[in-house]
Structures are given as structure tokens and as C-alpha cells.
Amino acid sequence: MTDKRLLGAIATTRFGLGARAGEIDEAAGDPIGWVLAQTDRATAPRWPGALHSSELLNEARRIGEMEPVARLRHEWFAVTLRGEQAPEAVHACTTAAPFRERWAMFWRNHFALKLGASFVDLIGTAFAREALDPHLFGRFEDMAAAAARHPAMLMSLDQVGSVGPNSTLGRAHNRGLNENLARETLELHTLGVKGGYDQGDVTELAKALTGWSLGEGVMHGRFVNDPARREPGPRRILNQTWPETDDRAEQIVRTLARKPATAEHLAVKLARHFVADEPPADLVKGLRTTFLSTGGDLGAVAKALVTAPEAWVREQRKFKTPVEFVTSVHRAAGTLPEEPATMLGAVRDMGQLWFCARTPDGHSDRAAAWATPQGLALRAHYAWTHAHKSAALDSREFTQTALGPLAQGRTKATVASRAGGDRPNAFALVAMSPEFQRR
Amino acid sequence: MNLPHPTRRSVLAGGLALGGAACWASPMGWGVPQPERPRLVVLALEGGADGLSLAPPVGDGAYHGLRGKLAVRDPLRFDADFGLHPELKQLAGMAEAGEVRLAPAAASPSLSRSHFWEQDVLQSGLADPKAMQSGWLNRAVAHMGTEARVQAVTLDAAAMRATAGEVAFASPSAGLDANMAWRLKELYRNEPELLRLVEVSQAAQELASRGHAGAASGEPGEVVNARKAGRLLASPDGPSTVYLTLGGFDTHENQGADGGQLAGRLHLVDAVLGALKTESGPAWAQTAVIVFTEFGRTVRPNGDGGTDHGAAGTALLLGGAVKAGGLLGDWPTLARLHDGRDLRPGLDLRSLFKGVLHEHWGLPKRLLETEIFPDSASAPLLTGLARG
């Protein structure tokens, strides 16, 4: 039965977000089934009462107009942002469907919102709820289309001000294109940087996307498809000609989302995220094939990933990101920080943001970005401060919960030697063990 | 796992033999001190700093007319043609001492007006920043052959592109205390890659804890960091390079002129540069500081009393190791603008980076052209930058 427990430990750490008490045993009965049970398409929204992105943006506008004191405006923003993001961190630490959450995190990073543009961070959570979550195990093209036209993405990638030079608005106000969203749609979201497009395709897609913008007045904070901004005429992208229609831009994004280059791009990223920085070629090939044969069904791709033997090798080849580390510490200890926003600040100090990223290509999924001297020191500090606090476990139970059969002899011995009185250190050392730093 | 490998040199160097128990037998375990070795500080102003306010071109007849309310009225003197913003008092003192060189129209090769792209280009040192994962500063340090255990330091929380690569950049603001480091080394006895991170982190902590802080209470974190950096530079066995960032320069609204929002950020720049000079003490004579930003800003104000993303901006080279001399690159004047709105480039920033690494750090030209800035043939190396 040791083998089953080992697979349970792999399921909870590599596919989940780190084991909670009893989770390794729970998964050990049927490790693949435990993961796949979390891929049900029809799940209730995570935050039934949450505000829609347009409500958040309207509230932000109202505060901006009504509140004369800058300090109070900033305070409102900070409190609202914390109220949006902290529950997400708590959810990651407590969810009984951690594979689903990891999968959601992967797609949030794939469609990373660039921090800094106005109010993008404020609606980063709403973007995930509205554009990504409904499609997590659905069709990729649905997700890509929803993400591309969401207000958060339109703002993040400067689509809002892009106007066809020969459109009604462009002629009247001498306005022009902003190709940012077009470029990143091709480069980051679909085909990938070596996906076979050129600058001509970028420009043509930018022209095709004109019209997509944010509304004004009652439509403030909502997507609009404004014909007055649309560059007239047919567009030619990747050797395909698109006559001018109202839904052309969306159809182009959907077509890009089904291309073999997109399948390859996504297969490499998924295999890299779940299995190894340099992913096994057979696994990439398998995911790519599944994606193409199912028309980009992400549920089928998830199943192909979870049933691939390469994904279940004992060797832990992934170094946890800060978010994964912090989450897994709290899951194993069964605790949360007194102030959940502590987690957001801690991962920021380690160089990662829970939502949004510094750049639209998202956070790195390679060890080199996270295995740094300061990163390790900050992890040790976090573990020492938070791991043991209010945990009902002793350090041996913590080791068993967190690692089960993955725990190495050296770690167990190190912990045992401090199990008596030195509780903060004993917990921190488990969290800092090589087998807990990796997955 | 695919961690960055320790450099050949750091492994060979006296201090940082992997599994080098001997080095830890001595209480400090430092490598061979090199008091005369050159130090390099790189300070990135993030957001696109407005060069026409940082170093206003007072000798350019078009400046006041184009800039309107944003023109700096009462600049400090730099030379006959350029002033310095009134908040840059310590910098003006250094300029008077012949320690400051000004590149009034420095730019990346791409002029994309994108923060993301330009930062990527300037931190990677590559016209095509996707061609490699590492940053130019990291690649340069890897070839320095330094004896120090901590070769390079960053005080920035996020993993920066510029510092990414095979050399581990230490951060003294987040070091490991001796107790935890000792326990982790026990835990990582069979994990050379993790062990190396612990050693660098601990060494950085020890290095940073030397000397007293000397920071005034209430001093901004950026200045406290600059003091730390200065002290590290002062250590005879300290790092060869420190990478610093300062944000808040994306002044689309209410930029201000002699006073106001941007003036506040420039005051901070001045305090940071002043702290570096003060704290580095005698090591200042071996120090060069590069200050750069991802792009300059539009010459004319926008509708919000601010400026939008432009083309060329201002870069500085300063320090005790810098050779006095004229402008770096050309001043293209404001008579004709790039796309009718932005300052035209008078210098490819990679020319400055290459010149400093060659003259100040002694890196061979061929190496700079092939490994550190491989696609920079269009940016010839600048000369006459460093004191012999």
C-alpha cells in the first residue's frame, strides 16, 4: 500500500496545492480519480455574492469623482483590492478541490493581466471569475475569446484607445492603432512567439480588433464593439481573408485558438507547469494531440495530463513558486495567518503577485526565477513565522501531513532532533526541506 | 530541477567552493579581498523618467516653447547647454567635481514606447529579448572572475530580468540569520544547488550587517537600501555589482516642474545617489554608477499636465571611477522630433553599457559583442568613460 500512498502524495502536491490533513490518504484510494473528480464542468461560481467587474469599475469611478481627499481614495482602493484578493488566497489554502484551483491559477497566469494600467488589478479577480472560471474544463477558444474581450484585458493591453485610422472616429480625430492586444494575443495567448506569424499579421489583427473598447455613460466599465472605431475593409491574417462583419474579431481569436501552433504552445506550458521545467517530449506530444483531436477541449487535455505516466514519476522536478509554497504551508498546518492579506504581501516580497503580473507574459514557471538566495531566505522567514502558529499538530504530524511517504530520512531526523521544545524551527525545517520546496 | 549553475569562477574562487567546509571553518570565510577592484552600480528608473526635467536642455532654444508649463524654470548648472533639476543638489555637486557624464538622448534600439518591451530589451541587453532568458548584468558578472563569495547584489524584491542568469544575486535585505542558515545547511547536505543559495544568502546577511546602519529615522526605504548598497561596495570583499530600481516615473498626469510629483521622485534619486557616495567611502573612487530608464517622455505636455511614453530619455554615468568629459552620444536637438512628438535617439544605451563593462570592468570587446550583447553590432562601444 506504500505505493498507493506515494501516488496519493504526488496527487496532492503535484496536481493539488499541497496536502491538507488526511488528504494524502484520501487521494491514495484512487489518485487519478481524486484529481479527475475535480474537473467537473458544472460547478457553482466560487463567490456567489461577488461584484461584477463593471460594478467594481463604476464604484471606482464614483469614488474618484465624489471623494476629494486623495488619501481616502487610495484607502478605498486598497481596502477593496484586499477584499477581492485575500479570499482567493484563503480559498487556495482551504479548498477541497485543489487541482481545480491549480488549473485555474495556470490559466490566470497564461492570460496574465499586467499590473499598473488603471484599475486592472482591481478587477483581476473579477476577470478570472467572469472570463476564465466558466471555461476551465470547457473549450479553450471560449476562454480565449472571453479573455480577449474582457475589460481587464482591454485595459491591460491598451486596446481601449486603439482606433482604426480610417474609421469614422479615426478620421474625425486623427487617431490610430494600438497593436498591443493583437501582438500579445498572437504571441502569448494563442500561437506562441515562434508560432509562424509576422508583423503583417500583428497589424492586420490590430485592425481587426478595432472597435473593441470600453463603453461610456451607462456602459462604463463594459465591453463595447463600436463600429465607429472599426477599420473598414477585409483583413488577411495567416493567409486567410476575413470580410468585415460584426463578430469578425471574435471569430479570428477563436480560429487562432484552434491552430496547431496554439496546441503546441499550450502543451509545452502545461507540461512545464505540472511536470518539469524541460518537459518530456512524449507528454507534450500527447497533450498536443488531445487538444487538436478534441477541438481544444480543456477537460480532455486535463485528463490526458493526469493519466500520463510521465506525470506520476516519483522524482520531484518542479520548484514551488512563492504562491505554491505559502499555500502549501498553510494547507499542511491547517491554519491561516491572522490577517489573510499577509499572504499577498509575503508572496509579493518573494517576487510574485497573487493576481496580475509585472508583465503580460505572466510569472515564470521555471525554478531559476524562484530558487534565489533572497527567495529562500524569505521562505524560511515565512515558514518560521507562520507554519507553527495555531497549528493543532506536533511537528511529526506536520511532517506526515505535508509529505507522507515523500519525507526523506534526513528531514525526519532533523525534525525529530528538535521536536521537543523548538516548535517554530521544527515546523520551518519541514517546510524548508527539499521535498517540501519541490513538487 | 534546473537551477542556475554556479559559475565556473565562483566555484573555483577561494570562498565559494561547493561543499567547501574549509571555507566555513573560519568565522567569516571571505574570499581574497580585492580593494582596488572596480564596482558597478546599475540604477533603473522604472516607468519612463522624463529626461527633459531630469536634465533640462536649457541651451536648446525650443525647450521652453515646447514644454510650456512643464519646463523647469530654475535648474542647477550642469554645463552651458544642460541643467539639472533643482532637486538634484548632490548630483550637481558630483557634476562640479567632474564625476558625472550625461547622455541626454539615450534610448533602446527598439523605441516601442512599451514599458514591458523596453525594460525587457534594456535588462536583457538584447534587441530580441526573447532570444535568451538571462540579463546582461548577470552575464557580465559571470565573466568577471571575482573572488568574492557574494558577487552581485540586488535590493529589489522581484526577480528582475537584468539579474537573471547563472550568478546568484544576493539580497542583504532578506538574508538568512546564522542559526537558520546552519540548520538549512544540515538539511541540504545532499542538495548542492539549495546549499549554494543558503551560502550566498548567509554571506549577504553577514556582509550587510557590518558597520552600523547610519540611516536617519524616517528615511525612505529606497534610501535605506542605497545606504546598504553603499556599505556593501565599501567592503573590500564585497560584491562587484549592485542592481537597484526606483519606480514611480510614469508621470501621465500632474507631472509638475520645479516642484510637484516628478520633483519628489527626483529628490529621491538624488538622495539615493548621495547615500551611495557617502556610504561607499573610499570605494567610491572605484565605483561607476549607470542610471537609465526604459524611455523618455513626449516633449510636449499631454492634456493632463503630464507626459506620455516617448522615445529617447536621459541616462547618467557617474562615480569616482568615471572620467570627466563631454556628453555621451549626441544631442539631436528639439528642432525636429521623432514622429513629431518625441526626442530622437542620440545614443544606443547598449553602447554605454558595453563601454562601461569594457573600460571599467575590463571585459574584452569580443566577449561583449558575442556573449553579453550578441545582437548589438549597430551600437558601437563608447570609449573614454573610465579613469585609467
Side-chain angles (χ1 to χ4, degrees):
Chain A
M1 282 291 95
T2 319
D3 274 352
K4 277 279 187 187
R5 282 203 86 227
L6 179 63
L7 293 176
I10 291 171
T12 55
T13 52
R14 191 168 302 158
F15 293 104
L17 290 167
R20 297 159 76 211
E23 204 171 47
I24 290 177
D25 288 317
E26 190 193 316
D30 175 10
I32 290 177
W34 179 82
V35 179
L36 290 179
Q38 302 171 37
T39 64
D40 187 1
R41 241 165 256 194
T43 40
R46 274 183 298 167
W47 318 113
L51 290 179
H52 192 264
S53 54
S54 64
E55 294 173 297
L56 285 162
L57 290 174
N58 274 293
E59 186 62 6
R61 180 177 65 161
R62 196 183 65 80
I63 298 284
E65 287 168 1
M66 305 293 289
E67 178 50 68
V69 183
R71 186 178 55 79
L72 295 177
R73 290 199 301 271
H74 293 151
E75 209 170 283
W76 174 85
F77 187 83
V79 168
T80 309
L81 191 61
R82 209 160 49 234
E84 279 287 313
Q85 295 188 344
E88 294 282 354
V90 171
H91 177 74
C93 296
T94 54
T95 178
F99 172 69
R100 186 183 180 83
E101 183 61 20
R102 175 180 287 286
W103 189 257
M105 286 175 167
F106 173 87
W107 293 107
R108 295 206 295 255
N109 197 49
H110 180 74
F111 291 104
L113 298 172
K114 181 180 58 170
L115 187 75
S118 61
F119 300 123
V120 166
D121 36 0
L122 188 67
I123 59 168
T125 42
F127 166 75
R129 292 192 293 264
E130 294 156 20
L132 308 183
D133 288 356
H135 310 294
L136 288 178
F137 299 104
R139 286 196 307 170
F140 177 69
E141 66 173 271
D142 292 337
M143 184 189 279
R149 47 181 278 169
H150 192 278
M153 191 61 78
L154 299 179
M155 294 195 294
S156 173
L157 293 177
D158 308 313
Q159 177 62 25
V160 177
S162 186
V163 175
N166 299 305
S167 67
T168 318
L169 197 71
R171 283 169 180 276
H173 298 280
N174 193 25
R175 298 274 299 274
L177 294 176
N178 186 319
E179 65 182 33
N180 211 1
L181 178 63
R183 181 180 299 284
E184 304 306 11
T185 295
L186 289 162
E187 175 184 325
L188 301 177
H189 301 161
T190 61
L191 305 180
V193 72
K194 291 170 196 156
Y197 61 92
D198 61 17
Q199 177 58 39
D201 295 313
V202 174
T203 308
E204 281 291 282
L205 180 57
K207 288 178 180 170
L209 290 174
T210 53
W212 283 14
S213 189
L214 289 184
E216 290 166 0
V218 292
M219 286 300 283
H220 180 81
R222 288 190 178 273
F223 169 84
V224 294
N225 190 0
D226 178 8
R229 294 165 178 258
R230 192 187 305 149
E231 181 71 358
R235 302 270 77 87
R236 190 156 175 83
I237 296 169
L238 297 177
N239 298 320
Q240 185 178 353
T241 302
W242 295 84
E244 190 180 341
T245 58
D246 268 345
D247 70 343
R248 175 176 65 186
E250 179 172 336
Q251 292 310 323
I252 295 173
V253 172
R254 287 178 175 276
T255 302
L256 292 170
R258 293 191 297 262
K259 295 272 183 194
T262 301
E264 175 75 18
H265 182 206
L266 297 179
V268 169
K269 282 188 78 171
L270 279 164
R272 171 172 296 138
H273 176 83
F274 281 92
V275 178
D277 288 7
E278 300 305 330
D282 285 350
L283 178 60
V284 172
K285 197 175 161 197
L287 297 179
R288 179 185 189 277
T289 305
T290 303
F291 185 96
L292 290 173
S293 65
T294 60
D297 180 339
L298 295 181
V301 173
K303 189 170 180 185
L305 172 74
V306 174
T307 52
E310 297 95 328
W312 293 90
V313 295
R314 182 189 171 119
E315 191 195 351
Q316 298 172 295
R317 286 183 282 181
K318 292 299 294 182
F319 191 81
K320 287 178 181 174
T321 66
V323 165
E324 291 168 353
F325 170 72
V326 166
T327 303
S328 56
V329 164
H330 289 296
R331 289 181 69 83
T335 62
L336 290 170
E338 273 172 45
E339 174 50 71
T342 305
M343 291 185 276
L344 307 175
V347 301
R348 189 181 55 229
D349 288 346
M350 298 175 199
Q352 194 178 18
L353 302 166
W354 212 293
F355 275 84
C356 302
R358 287 171 70 97
T359 53
D361 54 347
H363 293 293
S364 172
D365 223 341
R366 294 171 188 267
W370 309 116
T372 63
Q374 70 267 36
L376 205 70
L378 288 166
R379 287 177 192 213
H381 181 72
Y382 191 89
W384 191 86
T385 312
H386 293 286
H388 66 99
K389 269 199 193 149
S390 69
L393 314 168
D394 68 28
S395 55
R396 284 195 187 87
E397 292 166 333
F398 181 66
T399 315
Q400 270 314 305
T401 297
L403 296 166
L406 292 169
Q408 303 283 344
R410 179 174 296 280
T411 303
K412 285 190 272 195
T414 309
V415 172
S417 70
R418 307 181 195 284
D422 198 357
R423 193 175 147 86
N425 267 317
F427 273 67
L429 288 170
V430 177
M432 294 309 291
S433 67
E435 60 270 31
F436 192 83
Q437 291 296 321
R438 298 180 186 137
R439 63 178 174 90
Chain B
M1 192 167 56
N2 189 26
L3 295 183
H5 292 292
T7 66
R8 295 168 294 285
R9 286 146 207 89
S10 66
V11 173
L12 293 171
L16 187 63
L18 289 177
C23 118
W24 293 100
S26 84
M28 300 307 280
W30 304 108
V32 183
Q34 292 180 290
E36 296 302 314
R37 82 188 188 294
R39 281 95 158 157
L40 175 63
V41 178
V42 179
L43 170 60
L45 307 180
E46 294 191 329
D50 183 42
L52 297 179
S53 297
L54 197 160
V58 290
D60 192 306
Y63 175 64
H64 282 273
L66 286 168
R67 271 270 143 156
K69 276 195 299 193
L70 296 188
V72 175
R73 301 286 145 185
D74 196 13
L76 304 167
R77 183 185 159 82
F78 181 77
D79 63 15
D81 298 316
F82 291 88
L84 290 171
H85 190 278
E87 290 292 345
L88 298 172
K89 293 190 178 64
Q90 299 186 70
L91 182 65
M94 297 178 214
E96 212 173 300
E99 294 181 344
V100 182
R101 301 285 293 275
L102 171 68
S108 95
S110 52
L111 304 182
S112 73
R113 299 192 182 95
S114 149
H115 295 296
F116 162 57
W117 185 260
E118 296 303 309
Q119 288 175 3
D120 234 18
V121 168
L122 292 172
Q123 292 190 20
S124 66
L126 303 168
D128 172 12
K130 310 253 181 241
M132 278 194 255
Q133 296 286 323
S134 57
W136 65 265
L137 188 58
N138 200 303
R139 293 195 295 277
V141 182
H143 287 285
M144 272 290 283
T146 166
E147 305 279 306
R149 279 207 350 239
V150 176
Q151 301 182 76
V153 164
T154 175
L155 301 180
D156 207 78
M160 300 299 296
R161 176 72 188 268
T163 58
E166 68 175 39
V167 178
F169 272 60
S171 171
S173 52
L176 279 168
D177 70 53
N179 265 334
M180 181 57 84
W182 186 81
R183 292 187 170 109
L184 290 181
K185 278 190 271 183
E186 190 185 353
L187 201 55
Y188 298 161
R189 208 174 291 167
N190 302 325
E191 294 279 348
E193 290 162 333
L194 293 173
L195 197 60
R196 180 179 65 103
L197 301 180
V198 173
E199 290 179 344
V200 173
S201 179
Q202 187 189 15
Q205 177 84 349
E206 290 168 11
L207 203 56
S209 64
R210 290 189 200 177
H212 64 91
S217 64
E219 213 169 38
E222 293 92 338
V223 182
V224 175
N225 272 347
R227 289 194 189 286
K228 283 182 190 163
R231 289 201 305 280
L232 294 177
L233 296 174
S235 295
D237 48 6
S240 302
T241 190
V242 177
Y243 188 82
L244 297 167
T245 58
L246 261 185
F249 290 92
D250 198 17
T251 49
H252 286 283
E253 302 173 343
N254 297 321
Q255 177 173 310
D258 293 47
Q261 188 198 157
L262 178 58
R265 298 313 289 174
L266 293 175
H267 181 81
L268 201 56
V269 171
D270 198 53
V272 161
L273 296 175
L276 281 172
K277 177 168 181 172
T278 307
E279 299 289 339
S280 61
W284 183 250
Q286 280 92 45
T287 300
V289 183
I290 297 173
V291 183
F292 77 100
T293 188
E294 69 257 35
F295 46 63
R297 308 192 69 83
T298 48
V299 174
R300 295 181 192 85
N302 68 14
D304 284 335
T307 46
D308 294 323
H309 302 181
T314 294
L316 300 167
L317 176 65
L318 62 138
V322 171
K323 189 174 182 175
L327 294 179
L328 303 176
D330 300 323
W331 173 246
T333 81
L334 299 172
R336 192 168 61 82
L337 300 178
H338 174 66
D339 290 346
R341 49 176 261 167
D342 301 329
L343 180 62
R344 285 178 289 142
L347 175 72
D348 187 321
L349 271 164
R350 296 172 302 167
S351 296
L352 173 61
F353 299 157
K354 284 200 280 193
V356 172
L357 293 179
H358 177 59
E359 291 193 358
H360 182 57
W361 265 9
L363 294 185
K365 283 182 186 175
R366 205 185 57 80
L367 183 74
L368 288 164
E369 303 292 352
T370 54
E371 288 191 38
I372 301 179
F373 297 96
D375 56 4
S376 69
S378 61
L381 176 149
L382 269 188
T383 56
L385 303 176
R387 280 189 178 141

